[in-house]
Amino acid sequence: MDVFIFDAVRAPRGKSKADGGLASLTPHELVAQLTAALSERQGREAVDAAESLTLGCVGQIGAQGGHIALVSRLHAGLPADVRALTVNNFCVSGLSAIGLAAQDAATSGDDRLRLAGGVEMMSRVPFMGDGAFYYDDPDTARALRYVPVVLSADLMATREGFTKADLDRVTARSHQRAAAAWARGDLDEVVAMRDGSGNILLASDESIRGSTTEESLAALEPAFAKMGQQGFDAIMLDALPGLTAIEHLHSVANCPPTSDGAALALIGSRAAGERAGLKPKARIRALAEATADPVLQLTAGFAAMEKVLDRSGMTLGDFDRIEFMEAFAATPVKFERDYAPDPSKVNPDGGHLAMGHPMGATGAILTATMTAGLARQDGETGLIVTHGGSGVGSAMVIERV
């Protein structure tokens, strides 16, 4: 059974700091406001008829603890028979959540609509805020071959022979494209977030710096050599005996800013949409999940991409738009160098290096961007690629209907 996207919306991304644009809100409030936006756009009856709410979220403690999908369902006032599922698949969680909901809709025999997406408020639950044991225990880190994901980005740059200028080039482009997209004012998938009195707290992505240039980025020094010296460089070199040293190239600006954000999609069968009086915006044509070596972790997104291309019978040249997660600057550089896509079709409205990375929400954000972006440009097919730490990746092909 085919599964369709009937709508997809996202919050603007706020800086993950105490005075960030979304920091006064809670994660479940972001989801509730997106649920309300879908209800306004598609009708509350359609949203209430959903069989389930599936949310990706990485830091499932504190404000995001207690089963955030269930908490969000309760806060949004969804009916009690809407199942709730919270998913942690690191930075690909939002796309994995949509994929799980789509697979459930296609195979379970219950063809009702589904709500799926992701949420992450890193101002409330910071990166690595769950305090996993292996983060800080050297013996366990060595046994698991755990390496902080930014160091794996430096490893990718080293192995591929990238220069800091390469990293700065894609970073500057991301900011400039994002600034241009917001200046056009046509990102209608973005829902302004409001306080309890209805006042707008944040209406646009907060981390974009339109004045960023390759020259300004060149002045920033690589930032992660000391982290590598804490034993992680040794783990990487042990895993790759032919390598003698890690060249640390990423500056802080070559990393996607940690952010607050959320996104939510309404998906389901054509029949479910017809019963609710909805018209589909896109069809999910293929899905893929992949894993990779934990040291070479950022290669998993490429593996998922190759798998979904094989399943869909498509090549990169077939797509009108590609939303490729900028998981550190090394990944888009590798994508361009190894796969030679049309650069005008890749992240045409900017990417995560500019707009930020609310971890569990990222894949769902890209789904909302793709669904609306294909309509904006009158395109037909789109490819979404996401990468996550410790070697997880997810990809999806959609076609506009």
Side-chain angles (χ1 to χ4, degrees), residues 192-214:
M193 293 290 106
R194 300 174 182 271
D195 63 18
S197 300
N199 301 308
I200 292 177
L201 292 171
L202 190 65
S204 61
D205 298 312
E206 199 172 16
S207 295
I208 300 167
R209 301 185 305 277
S211 61
T212 299
T213 64
E214 294 177 48

Side-chain angles (χ1 to χ4, degrees), residues 280-283 285 314 317-323 344-345 348-349 369-383 397-401:
K281 295 179 182 290
R283 178 173 75 94
R285 181 163 170 174
M314 300 181 73
D318 295 329
F319 292 99
D320 298 300
R321 187 182 183 102
I322 299 171
E323 290 296 333
S344 69
K345 296 181 178 181
D349 296 329
T369 300
M370 178 63 78
T371 303
L374 284 175
R376 279 194 292 273
Q377 68 188 66
D378 196 24
E380 294 184 2
T381 56
L383 170 67
V397 172
I398 71 171
E399 60 183 13
R400 187 169 160 233
V401 295

